[in-house]
């Protein structure tokens, strides 16, 4: 592959692809996710960049609107420095989850075997990457390749439009982007046909 000039938005679809429903049900069972629950997921490093904290704000908005049949799944952990993991931001997120009343809804899986990442992507209904003006994000492209609903922000640079549109994902306005993403999830969490279409 070193001789190929890949686009910057390319995804290795030998590693990221939809799995059969029975495999997804087994994964959900192992994670203690009930059949009627939907999921919001994150894959990658947990730090103040890239907006992993915004998943908890979405969860808080859902609870405030009477929706509690969901799980937030974090796959990933803190920086690894000299083979030691910095847990400070992970602990910050755990504390925030507790403060938001999301302890029962939030799963912190930590760093996992890369082969398991595909299975975890495939049980995520919505995969948000929210920043004021994001530019790309492998998490979004990998989620889309797995047939998941990726959500990001149509920021001032319009960078996300290069690979995200209304037929394959959800882009929300950059003003009040967390609220807008929450609203989209509230509108679509029961709409299996819509999710299937995307």
């Amino acid at each position: 592959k070193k001789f190929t000039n890949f686009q910057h938005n390319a995804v290795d679809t030998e590693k990221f692809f939809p799995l059969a429903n029975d495999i997804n049900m087994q994964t959900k069972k192992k994670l203690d996710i009930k059949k009627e629950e939907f999921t919001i997921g994150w894959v990658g490093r947990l730090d103040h960049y890239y907006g992993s904290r915004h998943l908890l704000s979405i969860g808080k908005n859902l609870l405030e609107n009477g929706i509690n049949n969901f799980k937030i799944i974090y796959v990933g952990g803190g920086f690894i420095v000299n083979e030691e993991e910095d847990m400070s931001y992970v602990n910050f997120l755990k504390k925030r989850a507790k403060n938001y009343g999301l302890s029962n809804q939030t799963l912190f899986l930590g760093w996992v075997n890369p082969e398991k990442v595909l299975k975890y992507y495939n049980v995520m209904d919505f995969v948000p990457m929210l920043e004021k003006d994001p530019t790309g994000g492998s998490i979004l492209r990998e989620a889309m390749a797995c047939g998941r609903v990726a959500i990001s922000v149509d920021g001032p640079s319009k960078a996300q439009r290069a690979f995200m549109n209304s037929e394959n994902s959800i882009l929300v306005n950059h003003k009040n982007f967390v609220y807008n993403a929450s609203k989209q999830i509230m509108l679509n969490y029961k709409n299996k046909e819509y999710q299937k279409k995307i």
Side-chain angles (χ1 to χ4, degrees), residues 19-128:
L19 292 173
N21 192 50
D22 60 331
I23 296 173
N24 295 339
M25 294 309 290
Q26 288 171 20
T27 306
K28 281 187 172 184
K29 191 174 181 182
K30 285 179 184 175
L31 293 173
D32 199 26
I33 297 170
K34 297 178 180 67
K35 193 176 180 181
E36 65 274 11
E37 290 180 316
F38 69 97
T39 54
I40 304 164
W42 178 270
V43 176
R45 192 172 63 238
L46 302 180
D47 58 33
H48 65 282
Y49 300 108
Y50 312 125
S52 57
R53 69 189 181 281
H54 295 314
L55 274 68
L56 297 174
S57 298
I58 289 171
K60 183 172 180 274
N61 288 341
L62 294 175
L63 288 181
E64 288 170 353
N65 283 275
I67 300 169
N68 60 12
N69 60 325
F70 65 92
K71 286 281 193 294
I72 295 171
I73 307 169
Y74 283 110
V75 178
F79 278 105
I80 308 290
V81 182
N82 297 326
E83 298 182 20
E84 291 274 329
E85 182 177 0
D86 180 355
M87 294 294 289
S88 56
Y89 199 77
V90 178
N91 291 332
F92 162 79
L93 290 176
K94 288 180 177 179
K95 187 177 179 182
R96 177 169 279 195
K98 186 178 180 181
N99 291 341
Y100 285 179
L102 292 166
S103 295
N104 293 334
Q105 265 98 3
T106 310
L107 306 174
F108 290 91
L109 304 185
W111 292 115
V112 301
N113 185 316
E115 291 175 9
K116 290 184 179 179
V117 172
L118 176 64
K119 287 186 176 181
Y120 292 139
Y121 263 128
N122 270 272
V123 297
M124 296 174 181
D125 293 299
F126 300 97
V127 180

